[in-house]
Amino acid sequence: MDFKRMLWAMILSLAIMMTWQHFFPTPQPNQPTKSPVSTTHPIATLSETSPITVQTDTVQAVIDEKSGDLRGLTLLKYDATEDKTKNFVLFDDKPQHTYIAQSQLIDANGNNILKNITFTAAQKSYMLNGDKVEVRLNAPAQNGLQISKIYTFTQGSYLVNVRFDVQNQGTATKLGSNYAIVRDNHTPEGQGFFMHSYTGPVVYTPDADEFQKVTFSDLDDDFKTGKDTAEYQRKATGGYAGMIQHYFAATWLAQTHDTGSNICETGCNINIKKQSDTLYSVVLNTPMKDVAAGSTQSFSANLYAGPQTTSILNKVAPKLDLLKDYGRVHIFAAPLFWLLNKLHSFIGNWGWAIVFLTLIVKAILFPLNQKAYKSMAKMRTVAPKMEALKKQYANDQMGMQQAMIKLYKDEQINPLGGCLPMLIQMPIFIGLYWMIFLSVELRQAPWLGWITDLSRADPFYILPILMAATMWFQTKLSPPPSDPMQAQMMKIMPLMFSIMFFFFPAGLVLYYVVNNLLTIAQQWYINRSLNLTAANGIVLDKEPSKTEVKKTKKK
């Protein structure tokens, strides 16, 4: 079949391209070789740091005492992608990588009133001792305003509250606040062509009721032209805005479940742009507030900076689980993860949960697969007749087509019967792929024996070898294709895929191995039925009963 040849050609080309990309990755953009440059309003200047460290049971944070920025955040419960002996660093302020959280107060003209002001703290190091730890930064009084910036970290949480307390000892004024995530377009560790997820700005607002991504490339174009054409919701009455990457996210929240208050209830502005040659920013601007003379006013927002763990995200804020970006297959991936999570709650092991999930999905799709394999089996039974027709009508294309149509009609075969059920299932398979690939829950999760982390490649390549073996065995269940080129491709494919799967997370390869084993069992069953029917002349539209087979043999 031409369709089958085309499909195999596409798969082979994709496998070659993926393998090439792994060994010869695209060069990363040049990183700055000196301290990051100052950015434009409304982001504060990236100054030299005077660090204050904060340690809880989940994070180690670094706050710059001078600017008040959160410039370092290490996640203590997660290993670094490339080095398991180190903790994962989310926020950083190094020449080779910048990723920080900033917050400031602005006046009615949009000016940062804390610009060039140095904060001071009571100590340089803080340790969680109890449910919460608070870091208070005090700014020198100016224009009658006494301002403190307070960071609050909570036990067992990746939520950080940032609050400005303003005492107005002067005349009445209006103040607003803005909250920013600033980072470069540095590609996270472990990313490649076939192991790549979205990195960049994201926005969710109830106004648009849509999770929106704004790519770095779109912002690059606006930076070059000086225009603001990137498409996203700029006015918000809730939601969040921030940055995501594989497994992790950093985003400012308009509201959280625990407090119920919404800092954007009367309307916030969201501004996403490229700030300089190396830095991009996502800014949430809150409405202005009156600060009467002699009064005290507070400006507060919550920052989520941590893993995209669905159970955690669901508890923090409305629709925050969308940070786990399944893209267009969300409608399939989200329910599949829900099922995987339920299985894990009963089984207690993510690896076995994947095995049982594969069994359940395969069982649900059994009728479609049965129809597809039976259709392909019928095609194989008439393969000799098709070859004879090709020889008979070698120089008559029209006659060949008419003869083929008659053959399909006489044999009651739908030539697309094997393809259509497979195409219908493709969104589900793609959803399964992204669901497993994006599940930070599998990070550092063991299966059995040598598999101690389902998010990393199999250290001994046992699963990829099994993957190649099961693919090879699948090809053996079918007679070799009559086309020599197609036959060669069938032999090469297991090898090509095994090379590619050597670098896949073990959790993904486990899914494919189990799926292949179940497919082999189903194909074997169909082939066994085919042998019985071919020998005894029983039509393949239904499975022959034991009685029918015995009667046929007696005749």
mmCIF file of all heavy atoms in Angstrom, residues 28 41 59 96-97 118 142 180 183 209 256 275 315 322 340 351 380 529 542:
data_model
loop_
_atom_site.group_PDB
_atom_site.id
_atom_site.type_symbol
_atom_site.label_atom_id
_atom_site.label_comp_id
_atom_site.label_asym_id
_atom_site.label_seq_id
_atom_site.Cartn_x
_atom_site.Cartn_y
_atom_site.Cartn_z
ATOM 1 N N GLN A 28 23.289 26.779 21.313
ATOM 2 C CA GLN A 28 22.504 27.673 22.157
ATOM 3 C C GLN A 28 22.900 29.120 21.889
ATOM 4 O O GLN A 28 24.034 29.406 21.508
ATOM 5 C CB GLN A 28 22.735 27.345 23.634
ATOM 6 C CG GLN A 28 22.291 25.942 24.010
ATOM 7 C CD GLN A 28 20.827 25.723 23.728
ATOM 8 O OE1 GLN A 28 20.013 26.608 23.947
ATOM 9 N NE2 GLN A 28 20.497 24.557 23.200
ATOM 10 N N HIS A 41 12.091 50.403 32.342
ATOM 11 C CA HIS A 41 10.900 50.434 33.187
ATOM 12 C C HIS A 41 9.881 49.422 32.665
ATOM 13 O O HIS A 41 9.701 49.301 31.473
ATOM 14 C CB HIS A 41 10.304 51.836 33.146
ATOM 15 C CG HIS A 41 9.043 51.971 33.943
ATOM 16 N ND1 HIS A 41 9.052 52.143 35.302
ATOM 17 C CD2 HIS A 41 7.758 51.928 33.555
ATOM 18 C CE1 HIS A 41 7.803 52.219 35.724
ATOM 19 N NE2 HIS A 41 7.007 52.090 34.683
ATOM 20 N N VAL A 59 12.833 24.825 49.921
ATOM 21 C CA VAL A 59 13.642 25.699 49.066
ATOM 22 C C VAL A 59 14.778 26.344 49.846
ATOM 23 O O VAL A 59 14.741 26.452 51.077
ATOM 24 C CB VAL A 59 12.788 26.824 48.430
ATOM 25 C CG1 VAL A 59 11.658 26.260 47.605
ATOM 26 C CG2 VAL A 59 12.258 27.783 49.489
ATOM 27 N N GLN A 96 25.876 33.199 32.902
ATOM 28 C CA GLN A 96 25.393 32.282 31.872
ATOM 29 C C GLN A 96 23.884 32.046 31.933
ATOM 30 O O GLN A 96 23.321 31.451 31.020
ATOM 31 C CB GLN A 96 26.127 30.938 31.974
ATOM 32 C CG GLN A 96 25.887 30.173 33.267
ATOM 33 C CD GLN A 96 26.870 30.546 34.360
ATOM 34 O OE1 GLN A 96 27.436 31.636 34.356
ATOM 35 N NE2 GLN A 96 27.084 29.618 35.293
ATOM 36 N N HIS A 97 23.227 32.474 33.006
ATOM 37 C CA HIS A 97 21.784 32.249 33.102
ATOM 38 C C HIS A 97 21.170 33.186 34.122
ATOM 39 O O HIS A 97 21.601 33.242 35.280
ATOM 40 C CB HIS A 97 21.505 30.806 33.508
ATOM 41 C CG HIS A 97 20.043 30.478 33.604
ATOM 42 N ND1 HIS A 97 19.101 30.948 32.722
ATOM 43 C CD2 HIS A 97 19.357 29.694 34.494
ATOM 44 C CE1 HIS A 97 17.919 30.493 33.040
ATOM 45 N NE2 HIS A 97 18.040 29.737 34.123
ATOM 46 N N THR A 118 18.450 51.346 48.735
ATOM 47 C CA THR A 118 19.002 50.102 49.257
ATOM 48 C C THR A 118 18.249 49.670 50.506
ATOM 49 O O THR A 118 18.107 50.444 51.454
ATOM 50 C CB THR A 118 20.497 50.269 49.584
ATOM 51 O OG1 THR A 118 21.209 50.596 48.387
ATOM 52 C CG2 THR A 118 21.061 48.981 50.171
ATOM 53 N N GLN A 142 11.603 58.280 52.667
ATOM 54 C CA GLN A 142 11.751 59.357 51.683
ATOM 55 C C GLN A 142 10.371 59.884 51.312
ATOM 56 O O GLN A 142 9.417 59.118 51.204
ATOM 57 C CB GLN A 142 12.495 58.865 50.439
ATOM 58 C CG GLN A 142 11.779 57.787 49.646
ATOM 59 C CD GLN A 142 12.377 57.634 48.258
ATOM 60 O OE1 GLN A 142 13.390 58.236 47.933
ATOM 61 N NE2 GLN A 142 11.733 56.830 47.435
ATOM 62 N N ALA A 180 7.129 41.024 38.670
ATOM 63 C CA ALA A 180 7.720 40.589 37.408
ATOM 64 C C ALA A 180 8.512 39.299 37.565
ATOM 65 O O ALA A 180 9.125 39.038 38.614
ATOM 66 C CB ALA A 180 8.628 41.682 36.850
ATOM 67 N N ARG A 183 13.764 36.666 32.842
ATOM 68 C CA ARG A 183 14.692 35.594 32.533
ATOM 69 C C ARG A 183 15.224 35.743 31.109
ATOM 70 O O ARG A 183 14.702 36.540 30.308
ATOM 71 C CB ARG A 183 14.057 34.218 32.699
ATOM 72 C CG ARG A 183 12.974 33.868 31.693
ATOM 73 C CD ARG A 183 12.703 32.359 31.699
ATOM 74 N NE ARG A 183 13.841 31.610 31.159
ATOM 75 C CZ ARG A 183 14.029 30.296 31.328
ATOM 76 N NH1 ARG A 183 13.166 29.600 32.041
ATOM 77 N NH2 ARG A 183 15.062 29.694 30.799
ATOM 78 N N ASP A 209 -10.348 33.285 29.529
ATOM 79 C CA ASP A 209 -10.616 31.882 29.848
ATOM 80 C C ASP A 209 -9.793 30.961 28.953
ATOM 81 O O ASP A 209 -10.299 29.992 28.395
ATOM 82 C CB ASP A 209 -12.100 31.568 29.707
ATOM 83 C CG ASP A 209 -12.451 30.229 30.385
ATOM 84 O OD1 ASP A 209 -11.693 29.805 31.274
ATOM 85 O OD2 ASP A 209 -13.456 29.613 29.987
ATOM 86 N N THR A 256 -5.249 33.234 45.377
ATOM 87 C CA THR A 256 -4.964 31.859 45.785
ATOM 88 C C THR A 256 -6.198 31.298 46.469
ATOM 89 O O THR A 256 -7.078 32.039 46.913
ATOM 90 C CB THR A 256 -3.764 31.806 46.754
ATOM 91 O OG1 THR A 256 -4.046 32.619 47.897
ATOM 92 C CG2 THR A 256 -2.488 32.285 46.082
ATOM 93 N N GLN A 275 13.117 42.860 27.194
ATOM 94 C CA GLN A 275 13.607 44.072 27.826
ATOM 95 C C GLN A 275 14.966 44.519 27.291
ATOM 96 O O GLN A 275 15.285 45.700 27.320
ATOM 97 C CB GLN A 275 13.705 43.865 29.335
ATOM 98 C CG GLN A 275 12.367 43.693 30.031
ATOM 99 C CD GLN A 275 11.605 44.999 30.128
ATOM 100 O OE1 GLN A 275 12.124 46.080 29.862
ATOM 101 N NE2 GLN A 275 10.341 44.919 30.493
ATOM 102 N N LYS A 315 -4.299 22.908 44.482
ATOM 103 C CA LYS A 315 -4.572 23.449 45.815
ATOM 104 C C LYS A 315 -4.179 24.917 45.945
ATOM 105 O O LYS A 315 -4.648 25.599 46.854
ATOM 106 C CB LYS A 315 -3.815 22.633 46.870
ATOM 107 C CG LYS A 315 -4.299 21.201 47.015
ATOM 108 C CD LYS A 315 -3.440 20.439 48.016
ATOM 109 C CE LYS A 315 -3.872 18.983 48.142
ATOM 110 N NZ LYS A 315 -2.989 18.231 49.066
ATOM 111 N N LEU A 322 -3.048 24.299 34.696
ATOM 112 C CA LEU A 322 -2.762 24.486 33.262
ATOM 113 C C LEU A 322 -1.291 24.782 33.005
ATOM 114 O O LEU A 322 -0.839 24.719 31.861
ATOM 115 C CB LEU A 322 -3.626 25.612 32.691
ATOM 116 C CG LEU A 322 -5.142 25.374 32.692
ATOM 117 C CD1 LEU A 322 -5.874 26.600 32.149
ATOM 118 C CD2 LEU A 322 -5.506 24.139 31.885
ATOM 119 N N LEU A 340 -3.966 8.014 35.713
ATOM 120 C CA LEU A 340 -2.654 7.568 36.185
ATOM 121 C C LEU A 340 -2.483 7.896 37.664
ATOM 122 O O LEU A 340 -1.979 7.070 38.446
ATOM 123 C CB LEU A 340 -1.551 8.229 35.360
ATOM 124 C CG LEU A 340 -0.105 7.876 35.749
ATOM 125 C CD1 LEU A 340 0.191 6.417 35.433
ATOM 126 C CD2 LEU A 340 0.892 8.787 35.031
ATOM 127 N N GLY A 351 5.703 3.530 38.285
ATOM 128 C CA GLY A 351 6.021 2.617 37.188
ATOM 129 C C GLY A 351 4.918 1.606 36.950
ATOM 130 O O GLY A 351 4.463 1.406 35.809
ATOM 131 N N ARG A 380 -3.692 -9.070 3.788
ATOM 132 C CA ARG A 380 -2.597 -10.011 3.573
ATOM 133 C C ARG A 380 -3.076 -11.270 2.855
ATOM 134 O O ARG A 380 -2.350 -11.856 2.071
ATOM 135 C CB ARG A 380 -1.952 -10.380 4.920
ATOM 136 C CG ARG A 380 -1.104 -9.274 5.520
ATOM 137 C CD ARG A 380 -0.171 -9.809 6.600
ATOM 138 N NE ARG A 380 -0.897 -10.379 7.723
ATOM 139 C CZ ARG A 380 -1.298 -9.686 8.785
ATOM 140 N NH1 ARG A 380 -1.065 -8.384 8.852
ATOM 141 N NH2 ARG A 380 -1.947 -10.286 9.766
ATOM 142 N N SER A 529 -6.350 -16.628 14.135
ATOM 143 C CA SER A 529 -7.687 -16.703 13.533
ATOM 144 C C SER A 529 -7.589 -16.758 12.018
ATOM 145 O O SER A 529 -8.326 -17.480 11.356
ATOM 146 C CB SER A 529 -8.527 -15.498 13.958
ATOM 147 O OG SER A 529 -8.660 -15.450 15.355
ATOM 148 N N LYS A 542 -16.482 -12.605 11.158
ATOM 149 C CA LYS A 542 -16.722 -12.955 12.547
ATOM 150 C C LYS A 542 -15.767 -14.059 12.951
ATOM 151 O O LYS A 542 -15.257 -14.802 12.120
ATOM 152 C CB LYS A 542 -18.165 -13.400 12.768
ATOM 153 C CG LYS A 542 -18.534 -14.663 11.968
ATOM 154 C CD LYS A 542 -19.961 -15.058 12.234
ATOM 155 C CE LYS A 542 -20.332 -16.340 11.461
ATOM 156 N NZ LYS A 542 -21.710 -16.759 11.736
#
